[in-house]
């Protein structure tokens, strides 16, 4: 039976490039975000995770659903899938890696091979909408 890791992710695009993050001791980048804690809404969890990982405050009134993607989970057994529910949002503060995040970057479509399978799916979708270059 397949297991699913349910995560929320923040799509932030600047100059046609997508914000990505890499955790300590990981090779691949992913879209910033994380898992809900008990009783949290998507918006509450996304705001908390982004604050923990990237040190910025998402503006709740600007959070808008984008799309959901599913793929094989990075570094996990084959029956484990990850689902990312992606949102757009504006933010306050300056982007800076924090907690388990070692590095953040903005990448264009041609560099998608640096990312997890789920992030690649999201980038394919963003490219199809002409949101990234």
């Amino acid at each position: 039976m397949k297991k699913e890791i349910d995560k929320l992710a923040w799509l932030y695009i600047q100059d046609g490039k997508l914000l990505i993050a890499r955790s300590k001791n990981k090779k691949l980048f992913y879209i910033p975000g994380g898992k809900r804690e008990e009783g949290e809404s998507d918006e509450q969890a996304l705001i908390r995770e982004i604050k923990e990982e990237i040190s910025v405050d998402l503006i709740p009134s600007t959070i808008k659903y984008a799309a959901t993607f599913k793929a094989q989970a990075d570094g996990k057994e084959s029956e484990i899938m990850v689902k990312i529910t992606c949102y757009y949002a504006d933010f306050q503060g300056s982007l800076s890696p924090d907690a388990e995040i070692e590095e953040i970057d903005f990448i264009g479509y041609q560099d998608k091979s640096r990312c997890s399978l789920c992030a690649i799916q999201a980038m394919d979708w963003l490219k199809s909408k002409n949101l990234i270059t």
Side-chain angles (χ1 to χ4, degrees):
M1 181 159 130
K2 291 209 179 269
K3 286 190 210 142
E4 190 173 87
I5 301 167
D6 187 12
K7 291 188 163 184
L8 303 162
W10 177 42
L11 296 176
Y12 181 64
I13 299 162
Q14 183 176 287
D15 302 324
K17 294 185 184 317
L18 179 66
L19 176 68
I20 55 170
R22 184 175 59 78
S23 294
K24 294 178 173 115
N25 305 315
K26 293 273 189 185
K27 200 174 123 198
L28 296 175
F29 283 84
Y30 62 91
I31 299 169
K35 298 179 198 152
R36 279 176 218 82
E37 288 181 356
E38 191 69 37
E40 278 184 325
S41 68
D42 282 12
E43 289 82 2
Q44 290 167 327
L46 191 64
I47 289 166
R48 178 185 50 74
E49 284 285 347
I50 297 306
K51 180 69 173 175
E52 287 171 9
E53 292 186 358
I54 312 211
S55 310
V56 297
D57 294 301
L58 296 184
I59 301 167
S61 62
T62 67
I63 296 173
K64 190 174 93 191
Y65 174 76
T68 302
F69 306 96
K70 277 186 194 181
Q72 163 76 40
D74 176 36
K76 305 280 187 202
E77 296 162 29
S78 62
E79 68 271 6
I80 300 178
M81 303 293 285
V82 66
K83 175 177 94 173
I84 59 170
T85 304
C86 299
Y87 291 87
Y88 299 113
D90 295 331
F91 70 95
Q92 295 172 306
S94 48
L95 300 165
S96 169
D98 202 356
E100 77 271 15
I101 303 304
E102 186 157 29
E103 182 183 1
I104 58 173
D105 199 0
F106 282 93
I107 66 163
Y109 188 72
Q110 72 280 359
D111 291 322
K112 70 179 185 174
S113 63
R114 294 171 59 194
C115 296
S116 69
L117 291 173
C118 235
I120 290 170
Q121 282 187 10
M123 291 187 79
D124 288 344
W125 181 80
L126 290 166
K127 177 75 173 163
S128 77
K129 303 238 175 272
N130 295 315
L131 295 171
I132 59 172
T133 53

